[in-house]
C-alpha cells in the first residue's frame, strides 16, 4: 500500500547555509595560496568580490615586466641596446601603455578587492613608469627645460630616484609578510635606485666612468628583479589555469605573524 504524499520521506540534505559555506571553502584559497595570488596576507573584507572577479595581480605584473626587462637591457647596453649610453627612450611606448596603464589598472582592481598593499605598490610603480616615460618625451620638456645646463637636470632627477629607493625600502620591509620572491624583487630595486641616482650625480660633475658603472650595476639589479618577477608571474599563470604543477614562491606569512593574529592568540 502506497504511503500518503505527505508521509513520503525526502532524502537527507544539507542546510543551504552549510552548502554555501562548503562551496566557499572550495573556492577560498589557503593563506599561502592567497599571498601567492595577491602578494599580501589575507585580511577580512566585506562581500565576495574575490570569488566573483579574476585576479588582477598578473595583469599588473605582466605590464611591469614588459617595460622593465627591456629597459634594464638598454641601461646595461647589451648588443648595443641604448646606444651604449643607457638611452632607454626606445621603450617610451611600453612605459606608458604597458607599465603605467596596466599597473594603474591592477592597483585600482586590487583596491576594489580590498588588497591594500599590492594596490599601493602597483599605483606608485605605475606612477614611476609614467613619470619615466614623460621625462623622456620631448613634449613635456623635462630635459630641454634646463637648456644648456644638463647637469642641473641630472642633479634634480637624481633626487626622484633617491626617494624611489626609500619607497622600495619600506615596501621590502612590509613584504616580509608575503613571500620570498616579492622580497627579493623589492630588495633589488632598493639597490637599483640608489645606483641610478648616483649615476646621475656623477654624470652631473662629468665623471662619466663612475656614472656608467653605477648605471650598469643599478640596471643589473633591476634585471635580476625582472627574472624573479618573471618566475612569480609564471607561477600565477599556472595557478590561473589550475595547472597540475605549482611553483613555490616562498611563503613567509606563516613565519612572521601579523599583529591581529598575535592579539587573537593572546586572548585565548
Amino acid at each position: 500500500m502506497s504511503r500518503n504524499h505527505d508521509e513520503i520521506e525526502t532524502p537527507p540534505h544539507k542546510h543551504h547555509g552549510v552548502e554555501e559555506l562548503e562551496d566557499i571553502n572550495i573556492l577560498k584559497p589557503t593563506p599561502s595560496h592567497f599571498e601567492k595570488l595577491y602578494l599580501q596576507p589575507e585580511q577580512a573584507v566585506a562581500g565576495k568580490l574575490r570569488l566573483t572577479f579574476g585576479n588582477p595581480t598578473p595583469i599588473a605584473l605582466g605590464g611591469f615586466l614588459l617595460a622593465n626587462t627591456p629597459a634594464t637591457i638598454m641601461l646595461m647596453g647589451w648588443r648595443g641596446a641604448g646606444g651604449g649610453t643607457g638611452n632607454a627612450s626606445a621603450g617610451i611606448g611600453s612605459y606608458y601603455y604597458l607599465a603605467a596603464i596596466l599597473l594603474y589598472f591592477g592597483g585600482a582592481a586590487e583596491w576594489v578587492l580590498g588588497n591594500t598593499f599590492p594596490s599601493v605598490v602597483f599605483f606608485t610603480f605605475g606612477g614611476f613608469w609614467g613619470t619615466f616615460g614623460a621625462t623622456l618625451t620631448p613634449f613635456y620638456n623635462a630635459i630641454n627645460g634646463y637648456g644648456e645646463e644638463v647637469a642641473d637636470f641630472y642633479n634634480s632627477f637624481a633626487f626622484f630616484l633617491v626617494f624611489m629607493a626609500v619607497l622600495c625600502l619600506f615596501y621590502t620591509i612590509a613584504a616580509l609578510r608575503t613571500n620570498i620572491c616579492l622580497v627579493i624583487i623589492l630588495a633589488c630595486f632598493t639597490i637599483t635606485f640608489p645606483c641610478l641616482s648616483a649615476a646621475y650625480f656623477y654624470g652631473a660633475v662629468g665623471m662619466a666612468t663612475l656614472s656608467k658603472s653605477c648605471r650598469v650595476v643599478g640596471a643589473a639589479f633591476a634585471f635580476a628583479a625582472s627574472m624573479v618577477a618573471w618566475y612569480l608571474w609564471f607561477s600565477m599563470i599556472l595557478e590561473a589555469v589550475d595547472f597540475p604543477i605549482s611553483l613555490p614562491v616562498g611563503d613567509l606569512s606563516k613565519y612572521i605573524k601579523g599583529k591581529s593574529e598575535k592579539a587573537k592568540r593572546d586572548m585565548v
Side-chain angles (χ1 to χ4, degrees), residues 33 35-37 39 55 58 61 179 181 228-243 245-250:
H33 191 203
E35 60 79 20
K36 179 179 182 179
L37 293 175
L39 303 183
N55 180 13
L61 198 56
N179 60 67
C181 288
V228 179
W230 277 110
Y231 174 86
L232 181 60
W233 176 84
F234 186 48
S235 73
M236 294 177 183
I237 296 300
L238 293 182
E239 296 291 340
V241 298
D242 196 23
F243 203 76
I245 298 175
S246 180
L247 298 179
V249 297

Side-chain angles (χ1 to χ4, degrees), residues 31-268:
S32 61
H33 191 203
F34 185 92
E35 60 79 20
K36 179 179 182 179
L37 293 175
Y38 295 104
L39 303 183
Q40 77 161 31
E42 184 176 11
Q43 295 176 337
V45 295
K48 302 177 182 177
L49 293 178
R50 291 169 179 164
L51 304 179
T52 304
F53 297 104
N55 180 13
T57 309
I59 298 175
L61 198 56
F64 161 79
L65 284 168
L66 290 174
N68 187 74
T69 311
T72 59
I73 291 173
M74 285 183 270
L75 289 174
M76 289 187 289
W78 288 1
R79 292 190 60 81
T85 61
N87 186 341
S89 59
I92 288 177
S94 65
Y95 308 152
Y96 282 130
Y97 301 112
L98 283 170
I101 288 181
L102 294 186
L103 282 164
Y104 281 147
F105 171 81
E110 296 281 10
W111 179 78
V112 169
L113 294 178
N115 301 328
T116 302
F117 181 60
S119 175
V120 175
V121 173
F122 291 160
F123 269 130
T124 50
F125 266 87
F128 165 77
W129 285 107
T131 300
F132 188 51
T135 302
L136 296 175
T137 303
F139 172 80
Y140 292 100
N141 205 34
I143 300 174
N144 293 333
Y146 287 87
E148 299 296 325
E149 303 298 329
V150 180
D152 293 340
F153 166 78
Y154 289 164
N155 283 323
S156 302
F157 191 72
F159 280 105
F160 169 62
L161 300 176
V162 167
F163 288 104
M164 280 298 300
V166 174
L167 188 74
C168 288
L169 174 61
F170 292 156
Y171 285 162
T172 303
I173 295 172
L176 292 173
R177 283 268 293 138
T178 61
N179 60 67
I180 293 175
C181 288
L182 185 59
V183 171
I184 293 174
I185 293 167
L186 293 170
C188 284
F189 279 111
T190 303
I191 300 172
T192 289
F193 286 116
C195 290
L196 295 181
S197 64
Y200 277 99
F201 283 133
Y202 282 130
V205 294
M207 302 177 70
T209 302
L210 280 175
S211 177
K212 180 181 178 181
S213 297
C214 289
R215 167 170 53 83
V216 172
V217 171
F221 274 98
F223 181 80
S226 275
M227 296 301 100
V228 179
W230 277 110
Y231 174 86
L232 181 60
W233 176 84
F234 186 48
S235 73
M236 294 177 183
I237 296 300
L238 293 182
E239 296 291 340
V241 298
D242 196 23
F243 203 76
I245 298 175
S246 180
L247 298 179
V249 297
D251 176 30
L252 296 174
S253 61
K254 58 186 177 184
Y255 299 109
I256 303 178
K257 300 298 182 181
K259 180 175 64 175
S260 58
E261 292 180 69
K262 290 182 178 180
K264 290 179 181 179
R265 185 178 59 189
D266 294 339
M267 291 175 63
V268 175

